[in-house]
Amino acid sequence: MQPEEAPATVLLAGWGRATRTAADLVEPLTASGVEAAISDSGLRGVVARGMGRSYGDAALNAGGTVISTLRLDSLSDGGVVAGAGVSLRRLLAHLIPRGTTLPVLPGTAEVSVGGAIAADVHGKNHHVDGAFSEYVESFRLATPGGMINVSREREPQLFNATVGGMGLTGAIVDATLKTEAISSPFVSMDTDRVGDLESLMTLMSEGDERYKFSVAWIDCFARAASLGRGVLQRANYASELPEATLARGESQFERGPRLAPPDLVPTGALRPIAVSAFNEFRYRRSPSREREKLEAFPAFFHPLDVVADWNRLYGRAGFVQYQFVVPYGAEDVVRRVLDEQVRSPSYLAVLKQMGPSSGGMLSFPIEGWTLALDFPVAYEGLGEMLDRFDQWVAEVGGRVYLAKDSRMSSGLVEAMYPRLSEWREVAGGVDPEGVFRSDLSRRLRIKE
Amino acid sequence: MENAFGIPQSVLAIGGASEIAVAVLKAMAGKGLERVVLAGRSRESLASAEAQIRDSGVADVETMEWDVADGRRQESLVDAAFVAGGEFDLVLLSAGVLGSTSAAEAEPNEAIAVMETNYVGPAVVSLAVSQRLKAQGHGVIVLLSSVAAVRPRRANYVYGSSKAGIDFFCRGLAESLAGTGVRIVVVRPGFVHTKMTAGMPEAPFSTTADDVAREVIRGLARKDAVIWTPSILRWVSLVMRHLPLWLWRKVQERES
Ligand SMILES: Cc1cc2nc3c(=O)[nH]c(=O)nc-3n(C[C@H](O)[C@H](O)[C@H](O)COP(=O)(O)OP(=O)(O)OC[C@H]3O[C@@H](n4cnc5c(N)ncnc54)[C@H](O)[C@@H]3O)c2cc1C
Ligand SMILES: NC(=O)c1ccc[n+]([C@@H]2O[C@H](COP(=O)([O-])OP(=O)(O)OC[C@H]3O[C@@H](n4cnc5c(N)ncnc54)[C@H](OP(=O)(O)O)[C@@H]3O)[C@@H](O)[C@H]2O)c1
């Protein structure tokens, strides 16, 4: 075993690379190492960090301590009890040969168990199966007052404050997860190319309930009559498959990223003109209608994972992801956002329906429509535009996803997250001095 | 915390009554700016700046007496500001005086105030501030340098040398801050219509304080280390720097 090292001051960034701040990084090997890191933390507090896939400043703590969980990497009981730093990719590689999977998978498998719980992540099946926390039985939470065993039954309040709580109630050390039996690591996918937003949303509202998984990719460069045109991919787990196909599927999770942007590609190589052409190509290339195509899990769930560090393509200034959800009845906000962003079009956009909320007090999902958009930071006027979107979203009772945010101002958080005061009370109970904090919590005044 | 666009929540502006500083702060209001401390030498000009910034929607504005020309007092002023104000996301160094070249040529001691205000004070401030920001693990120092720092002119070389000095100093300090989460941004405006230039003949590529503010905000989002305002000065100055001396003299003759 490697020895625990003294903390080193390092510069950390979120996946969007738009803000970078320095913190003392500690990488404990054990639960008691985590507790020691908490009690050794200074005036600027402490927060846990998994794989740094949150886009903004949730896993940063400028001038304070950041606990990397990546060496809390134990796996036992057939993968059901996992250290907080175990990646979903590693878990899948472990579970799939045993004929099971994780019921909720976000758009990348390069996410830690701790990060998945703290952001209460959602997958393409949220409309049917809910968020990650629904499949969390219990976890151990290191707090300034000591280690707490948390489950829905034993500590309902703390459970619901920690799932979706963005690491601000304590550090999860390990978790017991529920898994789901599958007959193969493949899905049977239906694809529909849809020429405009109206038709896309109609198709989704009418048919999504027949599918476990549903997500639409939207070409944000398309205007006017083609506004919101996209490709809808919906799927269910595939049943009975030949042995050879099965074997092929199982090996897929052993591999990491296969490609990386070559060093010669300048950072910031992505330019609107190129992205626009790519989107056109992607739209045209997609079948206009295809049924029951067999697709292996990685290609279906985590298509971007084959390229390592693709976030660097956005260049030095980085990028922001803007993901919001609005309740049913507020479809107009989705249309207005797409309409308005056309002047500085999003490079990547994903639309999906969400099911009812879980119990997480700060969990993002609410029943309705969620749209995620990626923009280079350097777009002129982007900040003002997103500030306007915040207003529209808040007005209809929607919210912005904290795990993606890096730019919102503090004023709207209480409106977007009406259970914030309840959350503050629970968080204050386990962490009365506010030792757990992050750049996100400072920027949005989450703990104040 | 500054957000993804580099917009701060809290700012300490030294030379906070400067018209350019006020324009920058007003442009940040409504984008997430919440708290401002304006530091300067004259109560009256600070009070008027304070009112303008409040009107633009920032509720929490305070003022602080601060004479940047007294180099030895800077460290304790920085300490006082951070002790009272806690954390600052951005420190704006906008104090400056133009001085008079001809006055200095006649009376050498006249040059001292320009050097102390534009170079000595801000240099010590930026050292002291960078220690504080390093401890915070984040923050930006924005220095108002000038295009006058690019190449000496007979008309303003006293001022120009002080700007060249502080510009050089801050870019060097920025190197030493790599990896600390602290950045320094050097802004090099051309001729800006403010009280500093009132009554002077207008130079080519002149702009307003609001133009400068816009470019600063754009540059912060792009994480530029040097911001020229207007941006074309980046290229103009490149030419200026490489003109042969005889031609450079001719340019100056035409201007005066
Ligand atoms: C390409 C891509 C696609 C994505 N798709 C989706 C998606 O479909 N659905 C979705 O919901 N999200 C999605 N995300 C976001 C991502 O799933 C979340 O941000 C997730 O939290 C990242 O996990 P991480 O391990 O990288 O956590 P980090 O980014 O390191 O941390 C995220 C948050 O979790 C907290 N945290 C981490 N570990 C612990 C711990 N052990 N104890 C307590 N708190 C902890 C941190 O303090 C921080 O607040 C996507 C991200 C990317 C890059
Ligand atoms: N205007 C231009 O064309 C131009 C071009 C390039 C660079 N710049 C630079 O931009 C900065 C701002 O200039 P501006 O155009 O906004 O002019 P300004 O309005 O005159 O601002 C200068 C500020 O510096 C303050 N100041 C002067 N001496 C000081 C001292 N000893 N201690 C504390 N504060 C002091 C002044 O205070 P009072 O209010 O009390 O006078 C004034 O508020 C300056 O550094 C200037 O050199 C200006």
Side-chain angles (χ1 to χ4, degrees), chain A residues 48 50-54 58 107-108 111-112 115 118-119 121-122 166-167 170 172 401:
Chain A
M51 300 189 71
R53 263 20 178 224
S54 50
T108 171
V111 160
S112 71
V121 299
H122 56 272
M166 302 309 297
I172 298 159
Y401 194 2

Side-chain angles (χ1 to χ4, degrees), chain A residues 224-237:
Chain A
S226 299
L227 183 80
R229 74 173 182 188
V231 177
L232 177 59
Q233 295 186 323
R234 296 184 289 187
N236 288 304
Y237 287 140

